[in-house]
Amino acid sequence: ESNWLLDMELAYHVFQTDQEALYLQELELDYAYKSLVSDHIHFFSAKDRREKLKELLGKGDGPVDIRYKMLSIVFGVDQLSVYGFLLAHLNALANDNTKFDRDIDRYNLSEIYWSQVKGLFHFENDSPNILEFIIEIFNSTSSLGLKSKQTKEGRILLSQWKDSITYKDAYRILSERISEALDIELKLDSEPYESVLTEDHYELIDKKIISSLNDKISTQTIKIETVLTQIKQRENTFWYFDYKNYYDCLIHASQIMELAPKYSSNNYSTIEVGVDEYAKSLFKIDQLYRKFIWSYRETNQNRVLNQLYLKIEKVYSNDWLLNINNNWQKTIDKKDTWPFKHPSSQQTFFKTHIKPFVDRNQKVFVVISDALRYECAEELTTMIQNENRYQANIESMIGSLPSYTQLGMASILPRKDQITLKQGSDLILVDNIPSSGIDGRSKILQLNSGCRATAIQAEKFMKMNSSTDGRSFAKSHDVIYIYSNLIDKTGDDKTSEDRVFEAVNEELENLIDLIKKIAAVNGNSILITSDHGFIYQHHDIDESDFSKSNFSGDVWKTNRRFVIGSLMETDETCKSFKGENIGLQEGVDILIPKSINRLRVQGAGSRFVHGGATLQEVTIPLIKISKKREDTTRQVEVDIIQTTDRITSNLLLVSFIQSEVISEVVQPRTIKAELFAEDGTSLSDSFKYDFDFTDGSERQRVVRKTFTLNSKASGQYKNQRVKLLLEEPVSGTSKWRRYKDFYFSLNISFTNDFDDF
């Protein structure tokens, strides 16, 4: 009765002239929040902070909600959660930036901030600071530290931190500082590496595992299956890609040491049988050696792997390369004639593989990659099969002798008569036409193919516009030979031969691009082959690997791996062939150093060689590729074995199963799994895994993961429906998309809050 304007005051703001009231009116907040503004007056003193807060305020916001939004403005994050604030705070700590500490003190937000941290993480400290907090989290969540009440939420914080694109660099910096503060190196010294196989808190853990596996593989005290299983456990850990080349070295080394003794003593009844066996299985050791050396070089030849490198060089050169080719030489020594007329001979290539296309009036592209060794082509075949809508299979041919570029290139051209050597040189003629260079090969193709045929360099072809001059070029020809020369060019140069395996990797990528370019100009049938293979040993060649050969006669050409001439005589160090017995003219003699021996030639490289008769030099790949209209590959399905739809504790064990083994058609799938509330709030740590099992029963393709649920799961989301979301990566980006989800109901008892005690 004493205030006739009470209804107006209740309906509207009471006009006040104090600063707090002005801020409240600007923010359209009730006068009841005056004390909140007073408590944090310095926060509200800046217009830009008030404007940002006004945008965030919502109907029904209470004091805690408003302070959370104030903290989000201070930390510059959109996420209204303690996790989001901590990650921003840790990022600042990693960069030695104390602005956040100063701001939360100045704006009187320290108490609310640290009270929330204490409540969520059980962090007890009278004078809390971010460094002590994160040290305690690391210490309490690692098997190398002391288990405490922080374990559950701490694991989830670290999981989110490591998964964050924005903040993962900060994790690297602080992890190193914390490992020093907690003396992790000393603790790891006394721990078996198996005890930390699934942990990735510290970079030192990967170094410990790599060092331990390296010792076991070098001394051959560990089985290959164990190596593969243990490294698989590291595959999606935080530091894995920093050390992927180290892990790859360990895998390849253990495989080489297992396979080399298994195959090196093989004997071969005929040359055809030897080449066939090499193409079926023996090539794998040369492929593993290439991959080992490439990975080893990518580690910058770190000294931790040096003893293993020396061991592999010895095993590969002596136990494998020398042994297998010494045995192979026994087969060659019994033969005076090379099987150049055999249906799988390189010299019958055009007649066997190209003429059927010509007879059917079908267009075909032939890609010739100089020195594309069989094992390299086998890897390329797998790469092509992984490309959707391409089918590819590989077979082998018996290369020409000597296995050098001029003869190999001439062997795959069409001819009416024979291949001959130009008198006094190593130059090759096809029907008396010089076969060197694009012009010579184009002329031979035009004269002898029986169709519109031509030859072109890969670089020139790749520069063509697919829609215009590329299609016009393809339409004008029926048979198109495309030549690429990256591997041989790198290996044949003494100054670059040590980079030949890098050149192989680059060439394989180039050939994939070339295949896609051919498809873009309407090329549906493609063959990929080579002129010859090669031998490569990464270490300096021993004196014993050079042949002290005594030969005489009219020498036309001397190479590390062959001699061409006439009226030639030699000793036991070389195998002699008559020209007419290897597909050349009479009156020519060819000398081939036995096994892997090299001849001394001034100025030539000695690690990368070809021209001889080893299996690595004369097993020629032939990849047949066709472009399909329909899909030819699909990713493997991943499911979970769901025995219940209820979650009753803070720990949820999930069994993931890969539906079938990986094959040419079925490709691996990478998934990331995490539990979410229906409003999108994360309720657990996340799990990433590459499902790429190539063998094993259904039971052996099961992967188990125990998810740790955070306090929200047993708090505000209790008795609600939640989902286990499986995501897959979006190719070419850092983003993920939904793959599958599985629903559960949360029924966590309060007693489960004692899980971590």
Side-chain angles (χ1 to χ4, degrees), residues 274-467:
V275 170
D276 188 54
E277 282 195 33
Y278 183 83
K280 284 180 179 176
S281 57
L282 307 182
F283 74 89
K284 191 68 182 177
I285 300 171
D286 297 302
Q287 189 178 79
L288 288 168
Y289 176 73
R290 171 172 59 83
K291 289 175 175 289
F292 173 83
I293 294 298
W294 185 87
S295 298
Y296 178 67
R297 284 170 63 83
E298 287 294 297
T299 67
N300 294 317
Q301 304 178 49
N302 190 288
R303 67 178 181 271
V304 72
L305 295 175
N306 188 56
Q307 287 304 311
L308 182 61
Y309 162 71
L310 295 175
K311 174 86 173 179
I312 291 302
E313 284 289 6
K314 183 178 179 182
V315 169
Y316 179 74
S317 292
N318 298 335
D319 299 348
W320 170 247
L321 202 59
L322 184 60
N323 274 352
I324 188 177
N325 283 300
N326 281 349
N327 288 334
W328 171 239
Q329 189 64 46
K330 295 174 185 175
T331 303
I332 295 173
D333 286 344
K334 296 174 185 175
K335 308 291 180 181
D336 291 324
T337 300
W338 193 252
F340 64 93
K341 293 181 180 179
H342 193 275
S344 64
S345 168
Q346 187 183 41
Q347 292 194 24
T348 65
F349 170 79
F350 192 91
K351 179 182 178 182
T352 304
H353 301 287
I354 305 303
K355 195 170 185 304
F357 284 98
V358 176
D359 293 343
R360 294 192 301 265
N361 294 317
Q362 291 180 337
K363 189 182 302 295
V364 63
F365 287 77
V366 182
V367 178
I368 304 96
S369 176
D370 201 330
L372 183 72
R373 189 162 68 169
Y374 185 88
E375 56 88 3
C376 306
E378 193 276 342
E379 182 177 345
L380 176 62
T381 306
T382 302
M383 292 169 66
I384 298 167
Q385 289 167 343
N386 289 342
E387 295 286 340
N388 195 22
R389 301 197 175 184
Y390 288 90
Q391 282 187 343
N393 60 75
I394 186 171
E395 54 191 72
S396 62
M397 298 188 295
I398 303 167
S400 298
L401 278 187
S403 55
Y404 73 110
T405 299
Q406 289 279 348
L407 180 55
M409 292 296 185
S411 296
I412 59 177
L413 292 169
R415 63 182 183 277
K416 295 175 181 176
D417 192 6
Q418 70 171 138
I419 300 171
T420 56
L421 275 159
K422 185 177 180 181
Q423 188 75 19
S425 75
D426 64 342
L427 297 177
I428 298 292
L429 308 175
V430 175
D431 298 337
N432 292 317
I433 302 170
S435 64
S436 58
I438 290 295
D439 292 341
R441 292 165 194 167
S442 288
K443 185 176 181 181
I444 293 166
L445 281 164
Q446 290 164 10
L447 290 173
N448 293 343
S449 65
C451 65
R452 300 175 303 164
T454 191
I456 188 172
Q457 291 286 4
E459 290 180 8
K460 185 176 179 181
F461 178 76
M462 288 298 291
K463 289 177 181 177
M464 291 182 176
N465 183 295
S466 299
S467 301

Side-chain angles (χ1 to χ4, degrees), residues 734-752:
S734 59
K735 299 187 180 301
W736 295 76
R737 65 184 170 212
R738 177 191 171 279
Y739 168 52
K740 287 181 181 178
D741 44 39
F742 304 90
Y743 284 88
F744 299 84
S745 59
L746 278 176
N747 301 109
I748 301 176
S749 167
F750 74 92
T751 57
N752 282 283

